[in-house]
Amino acid sequence: MTKPLFDTLAIIGVGLIGSSIARAARAQGAVRRIVASAHAPKTRARVVELGLANKVTDTNAEAVEGADLVIVCVPVGICGMVAEEIGPHLKAGAIVSDVGSVKGSVVRDMGPHLPKTVHFVPAHPVAGTEHSGPDAGFAELFEGRWCILTPPEGTDPQAVEKLAAFWCLLGANVETMTPDHHDLVLAITSHLPHLIAYTIVGTADELQTVTRSEVLKFSAGGFRDFTRIASSDPVMWRDIFLANKEGVLEMLGRFNEDISALTKAIRRGDGEALYEQFTRTRAIRRGIIEAGQDTPVPDFGRPHGHED
Ligand code: NAP
């Protein structure tokens, strides 16, 4: 058994990501003890039933008392509020991190509430599914996936290394970048695809000429994969688009230009332009498979051993 990297891990918010961290940390012996807190009493009761933590507390402040590593796993829109709650209760020398899908806003919202005595190392494990809640998590979620760390300038390199070691133990590959660069990269690889999925499923739903039953019946023709992505948690994704406004608008501008070019090619019957574009994108797909970032099912995460 590996010697635990941390004595006590506090997980604030035990949904898909928080519960997966708890399961993986325990499976790998990464920490000696886990303390957790969640918002709703029902969720806290479920965390107890599932045995995901050694202790479940009613408040976030209580959960972080004495913890060596604190990971905030709540929607990005409330990370600042949670930091304000836990700030005065953090142990000196503790590492405080998060898992938010947007990093610029999290650094801005959380940073001012954290005492100088702790090490703030924001993180984003680029792994997930469209499911939410403590039942949705699984220990293997992070295996072979990337975890991006975005430490503010001047962060103690040893704290960054220690958090990197934690994520490696959970099976992830770790990369470090600035929060702004992270937000631009994720805008194109994750946020824009989700926006397109939410749009196309909404558009299909409003069509008058194609019935809803036809949409469902013939959904295998590409639409089905969009419906999976578009079923992702509405609170989480609302917060992501509000928090990464600049990155998403930048990528959306480029996307709109490119879709106009394709529209023109279709209108003009320019088969060559269409063929060139589709050949280029096919090569990108092959690159993703070669990089080991593909899963057997077409989604943006790794389903829990089944497809629903
Ligand atoms: P989730 O399954 O909906 O879990 C969110 C958790 O936050 C729930 O346990 C919720 O508790 C808790 N929570 C909400 N408000 C809280 C508060 N004030 N205090 C304490 N806990 C609170 O969401 P998730 O998918 O795990 O996402 C969590 C974070 O991970 C988000 O920031 C998201 O951007 C990021 N992320 C998500 C994915 C993904 O694919 N899902 C991937 C990478 C990163 P209740 O149940 O009691 O409301």
Side-chain angles (χ1 to χ4, degrees):
M1 195 73 174
T2 336
K3 186 173 175 291
L5 282 170
F6 294 91
D7 187 76
T8 303
L9 162 67
I11 298 177
I12 310 298
V14 196
L16 168 72
I17 301 297
S19 74
S20 294
I21 292 174
R23 289 174 168 104
R26 185 164 280 167
Q28 298 305 325
V31 300
R32 193 184 63 78
R33 183 169 171 264
I34 299 174
V35 181
S37 67
H39 184 55
K42 208 172 118 197
T43 307
R44 293 199 291 270
R46 189 64 188 139
V47 174
V48 173
E49 271 169 27
L50 291 168
L52 292 174
N54 301 82
K55 186 178 171 191
V56 179
T57 63
D58 288 348
T59 67
N60 298 331
E62 206 188 325
V64 304
E65 302 265 5
D68 309 281
L69 173 62
V70 175
I71 308 185
V72 175
C73 304
V74 303
V76 288
I78 56 166
C79 280
M81 192 190 81
V82 168
E84 197 174 357
E85 278 171 24
I86 63 174
H89 304 271
L90 293 164
K91 179 170 126 177
I95 294 176
V96 179
S97 190
D98 75 307
V99 293
S101 309
V102 181
K103 297 273 55 101
S105 70
V106 165
V107 171
R108 274 192 301 277
D109 294 351
M110 287 185 71
H113 299 295
L114 302 176
K116 297 258 179 296
T117 50
V118 304
H119 306 287
F120 181 33
V121 189
H124 176 205
V126 188
T129 74
E130 69 280 20
H131 303 298
S132 313
D135 285 279
F138 50 104
E140 303 79 18
L141 178 65
F142 311 110
E143 279 176 15
R145 295 312 180 100
W146 286 95
C147 182
I148 302 172
L149 307 186
T150 65
E153 252 180 39
T155 309
D156 179 2
Q158 280 188 345
V160 179
E161 259 173 49
K162 202 163 176 197
L163 187 67
F166 174 81
W167 279 106
C168 287
L169 204 51
L170 268 52
N173 306 309
V174 175
E175 187 146 321
T176 302
M177 58 179 77
T178 65
D180 288 349
H181 188 65
H182 165 279
D183 290 354
L184 214 50
V185 172
L186 269 290
I188 188 67
T189 58
S190 169
H191 306 167
L192 192 58
H194 275 81
L195 192 69
I196 293 166
Y198 281 124
T199 310
I200 200 167
V201 174
T203 305
D205 190 47
E206 280 164 22
L207 285 178
Q208 303 288 317
T209 44
V210 180
T211 64
R212 187 178 275 225
S213 65
E214 282 175 311
V215 169
L216 295 178
K217 190 167 158 189
F218 302 116
S219 68
F223 186 73
R224 192 190 59 159
D225 296 343
F226 283 113
T227 61
R228 176 199 287 279
I229 301 162
S231 71
S232 299
D233 186 64
V235 172
M236 171 180 149
W237 282 96
R238 175 201 63 194
D239 283 8
I240 288 173
F241 289 115
L242 293 177
N244 195 17
K245 181 174 160 179
E246 279 176 27
V248 171
L249 290 180
E250 161 74 25
M251 293 305 165
L252 197 54
R254 287 166 188 247
F255 177 79
N256 282 332
E257 283 173 21
D258 291 345
I259 209 153
S260 297
L262 280 182
T263 309
K264 209 191 266 177
I266 294 169
R267 189 176 295 124
R268 289 181 177 169
D270 185 351
E272 207 174 312
L274 295 173
Y275 180 81
E276 257 176 40
Q277 170 78 359
F278 301 159
T279 308
R280 200 157 59 89
T281 53
R282 194 176 217 196
I284 292 172
R285 167 77 184 159
R286 289 198 181 124
I288 291 173
I289 293 168
E290 277 162 24
Q293 293 300 304
D294 187 43
T295 60
V297 285
D299 73 349
F300 286 86
R302 190 172 296 189
H304 194 180
H306 63 85
E307 203 184 344
D308 46 21

